[in-house]
PDB file of all heavy atoms in Angstrom:
ATOM      1  N   LYS A   1     -32.068  30.049 -62.063  1.00 97.00           N
ATOM      2  CA  LYS A   1     -31.264  30.594 -63.159  1.00 97.00           C
ATOM      3  C   LYS A   1     -31.918  30.289 -64.503  1.00 97.00           C
ATOM      4  O   LYS A   1     -31.972  29.131 -64.934  1.00 97.00           O
ATOM      5  CB  LYS A   1     -29.847  30.007 -63.145  1.00 97.00           C
ATOM      6  CG  LYS A   1     -29.065  30.229 -61.865  1.00 97.00           C
ATOM      7  CD  LYS A   1     -28.611  31.659 -61.716  1.00 97.00           C
ATOM      8  CE  LYS A   1     -27.670  31.798 -60.517  1.00 97.00           C
ATOM      9  NZ  LYS A   1     -27.231  33.185 -60.303  1.00 97.00           N
ATOM     10  N   ASN A   2     -32.428  31.319 -65.171  1.00 98.00           N
ATOM     11  CA  ASN A   2     -32.887  31.215 -66.552  1.00 98.00           C
ATOM     12  C   ASN A   2     -32.019  32.124 -67.413  1.00 98.00           C
ATOM     13  O   ASN A   2     -31.459  33.115 -66.919  1.00 98.00           O
ATOM     14  CB  ASN A   2     -34.361  31.577 -66.670  1.00 98.00           C
ATOM     15  CG  ASN A   2     -35.265  30.504 -66.086  1.00 98.00           C
ATOM     16  OD1 ASN A   2     -34.891  29.331 -66.050  1.00 98.00           O
ATOM     17  ND2 ASN A   2     -36.429  30.892 -65.622  1.00 98.00           N
ATOM     18  N   PHE A   3     -31.951  31.830 -68.712  1.00 98.00           N
ATOM     19  CA  PHE A   3     -30.886  32.390 -69.525  1.00 98.00           C
ATOM     20  C   PHE A   3     -31.383  33.268 -70.673  1.00 98.00           C
ATOM     21  O   PHE A   3     -32.382  32.966 -71.324  1.00 98.00           O
ATOM     22  CB  PHE A   3     -30.021  31.253 -70.074  1.00 98.00           C
ATOM     23  CG  PHE A   3     -29.314  30.489 -68.991  1.00 98.00           C
ATOM     24  CD1 PHE A   3     -29.892  29.366 -68.411  1.00 98.00           C
ATOM     25  CD2 PHE A   3     -28.092  30.931 -68.505  1.00 98.00           C
ATOM     26  CE1 PHE A   3     -29.255  28.682 -67.386  1.00 98.00           C
ATOM     27  CE2 PHE A   3     -27.446  30.263 -67.477  1.00 98.00           C
ATOM     28  CZ  PHE A   3     -28.026  29.134 -66.920  1.00 98.00           C
ATOM     29  N   ASP A   4     -30.600  34.345 -70.896  1.00 98.00           N
ATOM     30  CA  ASP A   4     -30.831  35.210 -72.054  1.00 98.00           C
ATOM     31  C   ASP A   4     -30.354  34.534 -73.329  1.00 98.00           C
ATOM     32  O   ASP A   4     -30.936  34.726 -74.405  1.00 98.00           O
ATOM     33  CB  ASP A   4     -30.067  36.532 -71.888  1.00 98.00           C
ATOM     34  CG  ASP A   4     -30.505  37.307 -70.672  1.00 98.00           C
ATOM     35  OD1 ASP A   4     -31.614  37.862 -70.693  1.00 98.00           O
ATOM     36  OD2 ASP A   4     -29.723  37.350 -69.696  1.00 98.00           O
ATOM     37  N   LEU A   5     -29.274  33.771 -73.234  1.00 98.00           N
ATOM     38  CA  LEU A   5     -28.687  33.073 -74.371  1.00 98.00           C
ATOM     39  C   LEU A   5     -28.349  31.652 -73.966  1.00 98.00           C
ATOM     40  O   LEU A   5     -27.739  31.425 -72.916  1.00 98.00           O
ATOM     41  CB  LEU A   5     -27.408  33.763 -74.850  1.00 98.00           C
ATOM     42  CG  LEU A   5     -27.529  35.171 -75.431  1.00 98.00           C
ATOM     43  CD1 LEU A   5     -26.142  35.785 -75.612  1.00 98.00           C
ATOM     44  CD2 LEU A   5     -28.275  35.140 -76.763  1.00 98.00           C
ATOM     45  N   ILE A   6     -28.741  30.703 -74.796  1.00 98.00           N
ATOM     46  CA  ILE A   6     -28.295  29.322 -74.646  1.00 98.00           C
ATOM     47  C   ILE A   6     -27.636  28.907 -75.958  1.00 98.00           C
ATOM     48  O   ILE A   6     -28.263  28.974 -77.022  1.00 98.00           O
ATOM     49  CB  ILE A   6     -29.464  28.371 -74.329  1.00 98.00           C
ATOM     50  CG1 ILE A   6     -30.092  28.728 -72.980  1.00 98.00           C
ATOM     51  CG2 ILE A   6     -28.977  26.917 -74.320  1.00 98.00           C
ATOM     52  CD1 ILE A   6     -31.304  27.874 -72.621  1.00 98.00           C
ATOM     53  N   PHE A   7     -26.359  28.533 -75.897  1.00 98.00           N
ATOM     54  CA  PHE A   7     -25.639  27.996 -77.044  1.00 98.00           C
ATOM     55  C   PHE A   7     -25.662  26.479 -76.955  1.00 98.00           C
ATOM     56  O   PHE A   7     -25.292  25.905 -75.925  1.00 98.00           O
ATOM     57  CB  PHE A   7     -24.181  28.464 -77.063  1.00 98.00           C
ATOM     58  CG  PHE A   7     -23.972  29.943 -77.224  1.00 98.00           C
ATOM     59  CD1 PHE A   7     -22.788  30.540 -76.834  1.00 98.00           C
ATOM     60  CD2 PHE A   7     -24.954  30.749 -77.787  1.00 98.00           C
ATOM     61  CE1 PHE A   7     -22.565  31.899 -76.986  1.00 98.00           C
ATOM     62  CE2 PHE A   7     -24.756  32.117 -77.947  1.00 98.00           C
ATOM     63  CZ  PHE A   7     -23.555  32.693 -77.546  1.00 98.00           C
ATOM     64  N   LEU A   8     -26.078  25.821 -78.031  1.00 98.00           N
ATOM     65  CA  LEU A   8     -26.083  24.352 -78.089  1.00 98.00           C
ATOM     66  C   LEU A   8     -25.185  23.935 -79.244  1.00 98.00           C
ATOM     67  O   LEU A   8     -25.533  24.125 -80.415  1.00 98.00           O
ATOM     68  CB  LEU A   8     -27.507  23.833 -78.278  1.00 98.00           C
ATOM     69  CG  LEU A   8     -27.674  22.310 -78.399  1.00 98.00           C
ATOM     70  CD1 LEU A   8     -27.034  21.582 -77.241  1.00 98.00           C
ATOM     71  CD2 LEU A   8     -29.155  21.948 -78.521  1.00 98.00           C
ATOM     72  N   ASP A   9     -24.026  23.335 -78.916  1.00 98.00           N
ATOM     73  CA  ASP A   9     -22.987  23.127 -79.925  1.00 98.00           C
ATOM     74  C   ASP A   9     -22.347  21.746 -79.795  1.00 98.00           C
ATOM     75  O   ASP A   9     -21.128  21.600 -79.852  1.00 98.00           O
ATOM     76  CB  ASP A   9     -21.923  24.223 -79.788  1.00 98.00           C
ATOM     77  CG  ASP A   9     -21.039  24.337 -81.026  1.00 98.00           C
ATOM     78  OD1 ASP A   9     -21.429  23.795 -82.079  1.00 98.00           O
ATOM     79  OD2 ASP A   9     -19.972  24.966 -80.935  1.00 98.00           O
ATOM     80  N   GLY A  10     -23.188  20.718 -79.630  1.00 97.00           N
ATOM     81  CA  GLY A  10     -22.677  19.361 -79.557  1.00 97.00           C
ATOM     82  C   GLY A  10     -22.332  18.798 -80.926  1.00 97.00           C
ATOM     83  O   GLY A  10     -22.546  19.447 -81.958  1.00 97.00           O
ATOM     84  N   PHE A  11     -21.795  17.603 -80.939  1.00 96.00           N
ATOM     85  CA  PHE A  11     -21.611  16.906 -82.205  1.00 96.00           C
ATOM     86  C   PHE A  11     -22.985  16.667 -82.833  1.00 96.00           C
ATOM     87  O   PHE A  11     -24.023  16.775 -82.166  1.00 96.00           O
ATOM     88  CB  PHE A  11     -20.861  15.592 -81.991  1.00 96.00           C
ATOM     89  CG  PHE A  11     -19.408  15.777 -81.646  1.00 96.00           C
ATOM     90  CD1 PHE A  11     -18.944  15.549 -80.357  1.00 96.00           C
ATOM     91  CD2 PHE A  11     -18.499  16.190 -82.611  1.00 96.00           C
ATOM     92  CE1 PHE A  11     -17.602  15.729 -80.029  1.00 96.00           C
ATOM     93  CE2 PHE A  11     -17.155  16.373 -82.302  1.00 96.00           C
ATOM     94  CZ  PHE A  11     -16.709  16.149 -81.009  1.00 96.00           C
ATOM     95  N   SER A  12     -23.024  16.337 -84.109  1.00 96.00           N
ATOM     96  CA  SER A  12     -24.274  16.283 -84.860  1.00 96.00           C
ATOM     97  C   SER A  12     -25.239  15.247 -84.271  1.00 96.00           C
ATOM     98  O   SER A  12     -24.813  14.294 -83.598  1.00 96.00           O
ATOM     99  CB  SER A  12     -23.992  15.950 -86.326  1.00 96.00           C
ATOM    100  OG  SER A  12     -23.431  14.662 -86.440  1.00 96.00           O
ATOM    101  N   PRO A  13     -26.543  15.420 -84.499  1.00 97.00           N
ATOM    102  CA  PRO A  13     -27.541  14.527 -83.891  1.00 97.00           C
ATOM    103  C   PRO A  13     -27.328  13.047 -84.177  1.00 97.00           C
ATOM    104  O   PRO A  13     -27.573  12.215 -83.302  1.00 97.00           O
ATOM    105  CB  PRO A  13     -28.853  15.030 -84.494  1.00 97.00           C
ATOM    106  CG  PRO A  13     -28.616  16.473 -84.744  1.00 97.00           C
ATOM    107  CD  PRO A  13     -27.181  16.560 -85.186  1.00 97.00           C
ATOM    108  N   GLN A  14     -26.888  12.708 -85.359  1.00 96.00           N
ATOM    109  CA  GLN A  14     -26.677  11.301 -85.684  1.00 96.00           C
ATOM    110  C   GLN A  14     -25.473  10.722 -84.951  1.00 96.00           C
ATOM    111  O   GLN A  14     -25.346   9.512 -84.813  1.00 96.00           O
ATOM    112  CB  GLN A  14     -26.507  11.124 -87.195  1.00 96.00           C
ATOM    113  CG  GLN A  14     -27.807  11.146 -87.976  1.00 96.00           C
ATOM    114  CD  GLN A  14     -28.624   9.871 -87.765  1.00 96.00           C
ATOM    115  OE1 GLN A  14     -28.104   8.823 -87.400  1.00 96.00           O
ATOM    116  NE2 GLN A  14     -29.931   9.960 -87.964  1.00 96.00           N
ATOM    117  N   LYS A  15     -24.567  11.579 -84.491  1.00 96.00           N
ATOM    118  CA  LYS A  15     -23.374  11.108 -83.789  1.00 96.00           C
ATOM    119  C   LYS A  15     -23.528  11.204 -82.267  1.00 96.00           C
ATOM    120  O   LYS A  15     -22.989  10.386 -81.529  1.00 96.00           O
ATOM    121  CB  LYS A  15     -22.153  11.936 -84.229  1.00 96.00           C
ATOM    122  CG  LYS A  15     -21.832  11.843 -85.722  1.00 96.00           C
ATOM    123  CD  LYS A  15     -21.403  10.445 -86.114  1.00 96.00           C
ATOM    124  CE  LYS A  15     -21.108  10.347 -87.603  1.00 96.00           C
ATOM    125  NZ  LYS A  15     -19.904  11.099 -87.998  1.00 96.00           N
ATOM    126  N   CYS A  16     -24.264  12.211 -81.810  1.00 97.00           N
ATOM    127  CA  CYS A  16     -24.420  12.430 -80.367  1.00 97.00           C
ATOM    128  C   CYS A  16     -25.861  12.846 -80.068  1.00 97.00           C
ATOM    129  O   CYS A  16     -26.115  13.984 -79.669  1.00 97.00           O
ATOM    130  CB  CYS A  16     -23.430  13.497 -79.899  1.00 97.00           C
ATOM    131  SG  CYS A  16     -23.403  13.727 -78.107  1.00 97.00           S
ATOM    132  N   PRO A  17     -26.808  11.936 -80.259  1.00 98.00           N
ATOM    133  CA  PRO A  17     -28.223  12.302 -80.115  1.00 98.00           C
ATOM    134  C   PRO A  17     -28.630  12.666 -78.691  1.00 98.00           C
ATOM    135  O   PRO A  17     -29.705  13.235 -78.484  1.00 98.00           O
ATOM    136  CB  PRO A  17     -28.947  11.042 -80.593  1.00 98.00           C
ATOM    137  CG  PRO A  17     -27.986   9.923 -80.332  1.00 98.00           C
ATOM    138  CD  PRO A  17     -26.634  10.515 -80.613  1.00 98.00           C
ATOM    139  N   GLU A  18     -27.790  12.339 -77.711  1.00 98.00           N
ATOM    140  CA  GLU A  18     -28.139  12.599 -76.313  1.00 98.00           C
ATOM    141  C   GLU A  18     -28.502  14.058 -76.053  1.00 98.00           C
ATOM    142  O   GLU A  18     -29.395  14.347 -75.254  1.00 98.00           O
ATOM    143  CB  GLU A  18     -26.978  12.215 -75.390  1.00 98.00           C
ATOM    144  CG  GLU A  18     -26.617  10.736 -75.420  1.00 98.00           C
ATOM    145  CD  GLU A  18     -25.510  10.396 -76.396  1.00 98.00           C
ATOM    146  OE1 GLU A  18     -25.494  10.981 -77.514  1.00 98.00           O
ATOM    147  OE2 GLU A  18     -24.664   9.559 -76.049  1.00 98.00           O
ATOM    148  N   VAL A  19     -27.793  14.996 -76.714  1.00 98.00           N
ATOM    149  CA  VAL A  19     -28.052  16.415 -76.442  1.00 98.00           C
ATOM    150  C   VAL A  19     -29.045  17.029 -77.430  1.00 98.00           C
ATOM    151  O   VAL A  19     -29.290  18.239 -77.400  1.00 98.00           O
ATOM    152  CB  VAL A  19     -26.741  17.241 -76.434  1.00 98.00           C
ATOM    153  CG1 VAL A  19     -25.844  16.780 -75.306  1.00 98.00           C
ATOM    154  CG2 VAL A  19     -26.026  17.184 -77.779  1.00 98.00           C
ATOM    155  N   TRP A  20     -29.625  16.187 -78.300  1.00 98.00           N
ATOM    156  CA  TRP A  20     -30.609  16.668 -79.270  1.00 98.00           C
ATOM    157  C   TRP A  20     -31.965  16.016 -79.066  1.00 98.00           C
ATOM    158  O   TRP A  20     -32.878  16.209 -79.883  1.00 98.00           O
ATOM    159  CB  TRP A  20     -30.113  16.404 -80.688  1.00 98.00           C
ATOM    160  CG  TRP A  20     -28.752  16.953 -80.967  1.00 98.00           C
ATOM    161  CD1 TRP A  20     -27.583  16.257 -80.986  1.00 98.00           C
ATOM    162  CD2 TRP A  20     -28.407  18.321 -81.235  1.00 98.00           C
ATOM    163  NE1 TRP A  20     -26.531  17.089 -81.264  1.00 98.00           N
ATOM    164  CE2 TRP A  20     -27.003  18.365 -81.422  1.00 98.00           C
ATOM    165  CE3 TRP A  20     -29.151  19.503 -81.352  1.00 98.00           C
ATOM    166  CZ2 TRP A  20     -26.335  19.547 -81.706  1.00 98.00           C
ATOM    167  CZ3 TRP A  20     -28.473  20.683 -81.630  1.00 98.00           C
ATOM    168  CH2 TRP A  20     -27.085  20.689 -81.804  1.00 98.00           C
ATOM    169  N   SER A  21     -32.118  15.245 -78.019  1.00 98.00           N
ATOM    170  CA  SER A  21     -33.386  14.554 -77.793  1.00 98.00           C
ATOM    171  C   SER A  21     -34.464  15.553 -77.394  1.00 98.00           C
ATOM    172  O   SER A  21     -34.184  16.646 -76.872  1.00 98.00           O
ATOM    173  CB  SER A  21     -33.239  13.497 -76.694  1.00 98.00           C
ATOM    174  OG  SER A  21     -33.115  14.111 -75.422  1.00 98.00           O
ATOM    175  N   LEU A  22     -35.704  15.164 -77.622  1.00 98.00           N
ATOM    176  CA  LEU A  22     -36.839  15.990 -77.220  1.00 98.00           C
ATOM    177  C   LEU A  22     -36.783  16.281 -75.726  1.00 98.00           C
ATOM    178  O   LEU A  22     -37.056  17.405 -75.278  1.00 98.00           O
ATOM    179  CB  LEU A  22     -38.144  15.277 -77.578  1.00 98.00           C
ATOM    180  CG  LEU A  22     -39.441  15.968 -77.189  1.00 98.00           C
ATOM    181  CD1 LEU A  22     -39.588  17.297 -77.907  1.00 98.00           C
ATOM    182  CD2 LEU A  22     -40.640  15.064 -77.490  1.00 98.00           C
ATOM    183  N   GLU A  23     -36.385  15.292 -74.950  1.00 98.00           N
ATOM    184  CA  GLU A  23     -36.357  15.446 -73.496  1.00 98.00           C
ATOM    185  C   GLU A  23     -35.287  16.446 -73.046  1.00 98.00           C
ATOM    186  O   GLU A  23     -35.543  17.286 -72.173  1.00 98.00           O
ATOM    187  CB  GLU A  23     -36.128  14.086 -72.830  1.00 98.00           C
ATOM    188  CG  GLU A  23     -37.295  13.123 -72.969  1.00 98.00           C
ATOM    189  CD  GLU A  23     -37.385  12.450 -74.348  1.00 98.00           C
ATOM    190  OE1 GLU A  23     -36.412  12.560 -75.133  1.00 98.00           O
ATOM    191  OE2 GLU A  23     -38.417  11.817 -74.616  1.00 98.00           O
ATOM    192  N   PHE A  24     -34.091  16.374 -73.661  1.00 98.00           N
ATOM    193  CA  PHE A  24     -33.054  17.318 -73.256  1.00 98.00           C
ATOM    194  C   PHE A  24     -33.382  18.721 -73.763  1.00 98.00           C
ATOM    195  O   PHE A  24     -33.173  19.719 -73.053  1.00 98.00           O
ATOM    196  CB  PHE A  24     -31.685  16.882 -73.761  1.00 98.00           C
ATOM    197  CG  PHE A  24     -30.572  17.772 -73.276  1.00 98.00           C
ATOM    198  CD1 PHE A  24     -30.193  17.749 -71.943  1.00 98.00           C
ATOM    199  CD2 PHE A  24     -29.930  18.645 -74.135  1.00 98.00           C
ATOM    200  CE1 PHE A  24     -29.178  18.585 -71.474  1.00 98.00           C
ATOM    201  CE2 PHE A  24     -28.916  19.478 -73.678  1.00 98.00           C
ATOM    202  CZ  PHE A  24     -28.540  19.452 -72.340  1.00 98.00           C
ATOM    203  N   LEU A  25     -33.908  18.826 -74.974  1.00 98.00           N
ATOM    204  CA  LEU A  25     -34.311  20.135 -75.487  1.00 98.00           C
ATOM    205  C   LEU A  25     -35.398  20.746 -74.617  1.00 98.00           C
ATOM    206  O   LEU A  25     -35.464  21.973 -74.449  1.00 98.00           O
ATOM    207  CB  LEU A  25     -34.779  20.013 -76.935  1.00 98.00           C
ATOM    208  CG  LEU A  25     -33.694  19.656 -77.956  1.00 98.00           C
ATOM    209  CD1 LEU A  25     -34.314  19.395 -79.331  1.00 98.00           C
ATOM    210  CD2 LEU A  25     -32.637  20.758 -78.055  1.00 98.00           C
ATOM    211  N   SER A  26     -36.249  19.903 -74.047  1.00 98.00           N
ATOM    212  CA  SER A  26     -37.266  20.391 -73.126  1.00 98.00           C
ATOM    213  C   SER A  26     -36.625  21.013 -71.894  1.00 98.00           C
ATOM    214  O   SER A  26     -37.065  22.069 -71.406  1.00 98.00           O
ATOM    215  CB  SER A  26     -38.202  19.250 -72.720  1.00 98.00           C
ATOM    216  OG  SER A  26     -39.150  19.675 -71.772  1.00 98.00           O
ATOM    217  N   LYS A  27     -35.575  20.378 -71.387  1.00 98.00           N
ATOM    218  CA  LYS A  27     -34.874  20.933 -70.228  1.00 98.00           C
ATOM    219  C   LYS A  27     -34.252  22.290 -70.558  1.00 98.00           C
ATOM    220  O   LYS A  27     -34.290  23.221 -69.739  1.00 98.00           O
ATOM    221  CB  LYS A  27     -33.790  19.957 -69.759  1.00 98.00           C
ATOM    222  CG  LYS A  27     -34.329  18.667 -69.136  1.00 98.00           C
ATOM    223  CD  LYS A  27     -33.197  17.752 -68.718  1.00 98.00           C
ATOM    224  CE  LYS A  27     -33.723  16.439 -68.139  1.00 98.00           C
ATOM    225  NZ  LYS A  27     -34.410  16.645 -66.860  1.00 98.00           N
ATOM    226  N   LEU A  28     -33.689  22.406 -71.764  1.00 98.00           N
ATOM    227  CA  LEU A  28     -33.113  23.683 -72.169  1.00 98.00           C
ATOM    228  C   LEU A  28     -34.192  24.748 -72.319  1.00 98.00           C
ATOM    229  O   LEU A  28     -34.015  25.899 -71.890  1.00 98.00           O
ATOM    230  CB  LEU A  28     -32.346  23.527 -73.480  1.00 98.00           C
ATOM    231  CG  LEU A  28     -31.072  22.685 -73.452  1.00 98.00           C
ATOM    232  CD1 LEU A  28     -30.403  22.698 -74.814  1.00 98.00           C
ATOM    233  CD2 LEU A  28     -30.105  23.173 -72.378  1.00 98.00           C
ATOM    234  N   THR A  29     -35.306  24.369 -72.939  1.00 98.00           N
ATOM    235  CA  THR A  29     -36.402  25.315 -73.118  1.00 98.00           C
ATOM    236  C   THR A  29     -36.889  25.844 -71.778  1.00 98.00           C
ATOM    237  O   THR A  29     -37.216  27.036 -71.638  1.00 98.00           O
ATOM    238  CB  THR A  29     -37.560  24.642 -73.878  1.00 98.00           C
ATOM    239  OG1 THR A  29     -37.088  24.201 -75.157  1.00 98.00           O
ATOM    240  CG2 THR A  29     -38.717  25.604 -74.091  1.00 98.00           C
ATOM    241  N   ASN A  30     -36.920  24.988 -70.786  1.00 98.00           N
ATOM    242  CA  ASN A  30     -37.356  25.395 -69.450  1.00 98.00           C
ATOM    243  C   ASN A  30     -36.381  26.366 -68.784  1.00 98.00           C
ATOM    244  O   ASN A  30     -36.745  27.035 -67.814  1.00 98.00           O
ATOM    245  CB  ASN A  30     -37.546  24.177 -68.553  1.00 98.00           C
ATOM    246  CG  ASN A  30     -38.749  23.351 -68.940  1.00 98.00           C
ATOM    247  OD1 ASN A  30     -39.683  23.841 -69.578  1.00 98.00           O
ATOM    248  ND2 ASN A  30     -38.745  22.069 -68.574  1.00 98.00           N
ATOM    249  N   LYS A  31     -35.142  26.428 -69.295  1.00 98.00           N
ATOM    250  CA  LYS A  31     -34.146  27.337 -68.741  1.00 98.00           C
ATOM    251  C   LYS A  31     -34.018  28.624 -69.550  1.00 98.00           C
ATOM    252  O   LYS A  31     -33.171  29.470 -69.240  1.00 98.00           O
ATOM    253  CB  LYS A  31     -32.773  26.651 -68.680  1.00 98.00           C
ATOM    254  CG  LYS A  31     -32.711  25.375 -67.847  1.00 98.00           C
ATOM    255  CD  LYS A  31     -33.098  25.610 -66.401  1.00 98.00           C
ATOM    256  CE  LYS A  31     -32.072  26.409 -65.653  1.00 98.00           C
ATOM    257  NZ  LYS A  31     -32.427  26.589 -64.220  1.00 98.00           N
ATOM    258  N   LEU A  32     -34.844  28.806 -70.573  1.00 98.00           N
ATOM    259  CA  LEU A  32     -34.751  29.965 -71.452  1.00 98.00           C
ATOM    260  C   LEU A  32     -35.700  31.060 -70.970  1.00 98.00           C
ATOM    261  O   LEU A  32     -36.877  30.812 -70.699  1.00 98.00           O
ATOM    262  CB  LEU A  32     -35.116  29.552 -72.886  1.00 98.00           C
ATOM    263  CG  LEU A  32     -34.902  30.576 -73.996  1.00 98.00           C
ATOM    264  CD1 LEU A  32     -33.417  30.886 -74.171  1.00 98.00           C
ATOM    265  CD2 LEU A  32     -35.481  30.045 -75.316  1.00 98.00           C
ATOM    266  N   LYS A  33     -35.185  32.285 -70.877  1.00 97.00           N
ATOM    267  CA  LYS A  33     -36.035  33.414 -70.502  1.00 97.00           C
ATOM    268  C   LYS A  33     -37.098  33.658 -71.578  1.00 97.00           C
ATOM    269  O   LYS A  33     -36.943  33.255 -72.735  1.00 97.00           O
ATOM    270  CB  LYS A  33     -35.189  34.675 -70.314  1.00 97.00           C
ATOM    271  CG  LYS A  33     -34.345  34.686 -69.062  1.00 97.00           C
ATOM    272  CD  LYS A  33     -33.661  36.036 -68.898  1.00 97.00           C
ATOM    273  CE  LYS A  33     -32.845  36.120 -67.617  1.00 97.00           C
ATOM    274  NZ  LYS A  33     -32.200  37.444 -67.458  1.00 97.00           N
TER     275      LYS A  33
END
């Protein structure tokens, strides 16, 4: 499953950096068409 659209709408990076890390963004990039 790769995606036409990925919405990323977590709390801000300083409050919730887990979903803004280079490693997690890499996982999202790998799922993008």
Side-chain angles (χ1 to χ4, degrees):
K1 302 287 188 182
N2 288 333
F3 296 91
D4 299 288
L5 295 170
I6 296 177
F7 296 159
L8 178 54
D9 197 16
F11 289 107
S12 64
Q14 281 287 337
K15 299 294 179 69
C16 186
E18 297 94 321
V19 296
W20 306 101
S21 72
L22 178 63
E23 291 78 12
F24 184 71
L25 292 173
S26 177
K27 291 179 182 292
L28 292 183
T29 300
N30 289 337
K31 301 301 290 182
L32 188 65
K33 287 186 177 181

